[in-house]
Amino acid sequence: MAKKPRNRRGAGPAPASQAPAGAPASTAQLTAPSAARKAYYPGQGFGLPEHGPGSVAGMPRRLLALLIDWLLSMLIAYWLTHSQFWTIAVFAVEVYVLTATTGFTVGKRLVGIRTIRTSGGMVGFWWALVRTAILLTVVPPLLTDRDLRGLHDRASDTIVIRV
């Protein structure tokens, strides 16, 4: 009497790799996943593309833009006051004014990202003020959702996209 092939757990039918020659392979392994099961990507809920211009900006670009803006603010503060004490004030003014009027800061422009409202419009002065005030507290921007929006973005209904 021949022994019946077993899977790794010792029960049930043999896996497709151990199936007798000429037996059909399992169709579950050969079909592509359905469109409904496709992995969620940042910005999908807002109708943004997965890649390229208009897609959600990744964290490395955002951090580089933040570093550029901070260094520029340090240089301006030191040039104006011969002290780095005013760096945070210069940074706050730069981020507030430029985000409200253009959606770009100097750093964001250089790395190719922009802040917009989730409806697609400009941020505006009120929401830029809310966003900047929360940004200056440091921790909330690090707490992101699956669309890579920090608490400052969620509070002001904004999102950072690639240009």
Side-chain angles (χ1 to χ4, degrees), residues 104-146:
F104 292 104
T105 60
V106 174
K108 285 180 180 171
R109 175 62 106 177
L110 290 174
V111 299
I113 60 178
R114 182 180 191 181
T115 303
I116 61 168
R117 300 274 295 168
T118 56
S119 61
M122 294 298 297
V123 178
F125 287 100
W126 169 249
W127 292 114
L129 181 63
V130 170
R131 187 178 190 281
T132 303
I134 297 171
L135 175 70
L136 293 176
T137 63
V138 179
V139 174
L142 299 175
L143 304 173
T144 61
D145 61 11
R146 66 187 200 170

Side-chain angles (χ1 to χ4, degrees), residues 4-134:
K4 188 172 161 183
R6 297 181 170 270
N7 65 12
R8 290 184 194 165
R9 294 187 183 177
S17 62
Q18 295 178 356
S26 171
T27 58
Q29 294 176 350
L30 298 177
T31 58
S34 68
R37 287 192 215 169
K38 186 175 181 188
Y40 183 87
Y41 63 87
Q44 183 176 14
F46 296 104
L48 300 176
E50 187 172 1
H51 302 289
S55 64
V56 174
M59 292 308 275
R61 283 182 187 232
R62 293 178 194 205
L63 291 173
L64 181 58
L66 178 68
L67 178 67
I68 292 168
D69 289 332
W70 185 258
L71 291 175
L72 179 63
S73 297
M74 283 178 60
L75 289 172
I76 293 170
Y78 191 76
W79 179 69
L80 290 174
T81 65
H82 299 289
S83 168
Q84 292 179 6
F85 178 77
W86 293 98
T87 300
I88 192 86
V90 172
F91 178 80
V93 169
E94 178 212 1
V95 169
Y96 169 66
V97 171
L98 293 177
T99 300
T101 57
T102 65
F104 292 104
T105 60
V106 174
K108 285 180 180 171
R109 175 62 106 177
L110 290 174
V111 299
I113 60 178
R114 182 180 191 181
T115 303
I116 61 168
R117 300 274 295 168
T118 56
S119 61
M122 294 298 297
V123 178
F125 287 100
W126 169 249
W127 292 114
L129 181 63
V130 170
R131 187 178 190 281
T132 303
I134 297 171

